[in-house]
Amino acid sequence: DIQMTQSPPSLSASLGDKVTITCQASQNINKYIAWYQQKPGKAPRQLIRYTSTLVSGTPSRFSGSGSGRDYSFSISNVESEDIASYYCLQYDNLNTFGAGTKLELK
Amino acid sequence: AVQLVESGGGLVQPGKSLKLSCSASGFTFSSYGMHWIRQAPGKGLDWVAYISSSSGTVYADAVKERFTISRDNAKNTLYLQLNSLKSEDTAIYYCARSSNNYPGGYWGQGVMVTVSS
């Protein structure tokens, strides 16, 4: 099974900051990674598919990149509505989520 | 609009069984694969199982042999049969419509399963 190592577990940012979250797969996942946002008490919301493609409705301040085993997700100009937990998901071989990153306001 | 509504959760004793349902509307259910994902209290997301539009199934190792995913296209309903439940199965269980073999943009609101004596 493919393992996803997501870091950091938590992140503290000020409004307007740029933040970056990384996910490393235990093997090459051929860019088959998606990113989700989850707010407390809510179902996850998909933001990005296939490494860097923003799904409909995702603001342009969100971005993704990477290849092989290493991937990153960034939010430029953090807004208050971005305070949430974020998860990566590999879908190259079955599905595996990363452990998540909790984004908080500094 | 696409809607997914889970039901069937509750409190169950260790070793017992429970069957979750996910009622789908707003799309051609039979044309889509479907997933179950769970989230233990205060923890991260954990992919559980997938069923294709042709009813092929795959499972996470942690639930293989204990959980069974199925679907009834006539009823537009997805199911998850949970057997031999353990305390570590306590979680919110979400159903999600598949997009290229992963949970896409449509998720239910989740249903809570608590395994405790």
Side-chain angles (χ1 to χ4, degrees):
Chain A
D1 290 5
I2 297 176
Q3 308 303 315
M4 299 296 287
T5 302
Q6 183 172 344
S7 61
S10 64
L11 202 47
S12 184
S14 300
L15 298 179
D17 280 356
K18 178 177 180 177
V19 299
T20 298
I21 298 166
T22 63
C23 271
Q24 183 176 66
S26 56
Q27 64 189 64
N28 179 10
I29 57 170
N30 299 299
K31 295 193 170 186
Y32 290 112
I33 188 168
W35 292 91
Y36 298 81
Q37 176 192 68
Q38 187 181 31
K39 296 184 178 180
K42 299 292 187 181
R45 168 195 173 194
Q46 186 189 0
L47 299 176
I48 288 175
R49 62 178 175 86
Y50 196 59
T51 297
S52 58
T53 301
L54 273 59
V55 302
S56 176
T58 302
S60 59
R61 64 181 180 276
F62 294 93
S63 63
S65 64
S67 63
R69 295 175 56 206
D70 298 307
Y71 298 85
S72 63
F73 167 86
S74 295
I75 311 172
S76 60
N77 300 314
V78 167
E79 298 188 6
S80 56
E81 65 185 39
D82 300 335
I83 301 309
S85 293
Y86 293 86
Y87 296 88
C88 63
L89 170 80
Q90 71 78 21
Y91 56 102
D92 182 61
N93 185 345
L94 299 183
N95 291 174
T96 312
F97 285 96
T101 296
K102 187 173 184 179
L103 176 61
E104 298 173 316
L105 270 181
K106 193 179 292 183
Chain B
V2 172
Q3 192 170 13
L4 298 169
V5 180
E6 301 94 338
S7 61
L11 174 63
V12 60
Q13 293 179 329
K16 299 296 187 181
S17 299
L18 201 63
K19 189 170 187 176
L20 305 182
S21 299
C22 169
S23 178
S25 60
F27 65 102
T28 305
F29 178 71
S30 59
S31 297
Y32 286 85
M34 298 291 295
H35 297 265
W36 286 100
I37 303 101
R38 66 184 179 181
Q39 187 169 34
K43 303 297 184 182
L45 300 169
D46 184 27
W47 175 81
V48 173
Y50 166 75
I51 185 167
S52 69
S53 57
S54 56
S55 295
T57 60
V58 285
Y59 298 90
D61 286 346
V63 306
K64 208 177 294 185
E65 311 299 339
R66 297 191 301 122
F67 290 6
T68 302
I69 188 172
S70 62
R71 64 191 300 157
D72 185 334
N73 290 337
K75 294 183 177 180
N76 289 339
T77 302
L78 172 73
Y79 301 102
L80 186 68
Q81 176 70 44
L82 293 70
N83 295 333
S84 303
L85 281 161
K86 307 174 182 180
S87 58
E88 52 263 42
D89 296 319
T90 293
I92 296 172
Y93 284 74
Y94 295 99
C95 63
R97 194 178 83 172
S98 190
S99 174
N100 291 324
N101 300 326
Y102 69 96
Y106 298 102
W107 293 56
Q109 83 288 352
V111 63
M112 185 70 204
V113 172
T114 303
V115 183
S116 175
S117 54

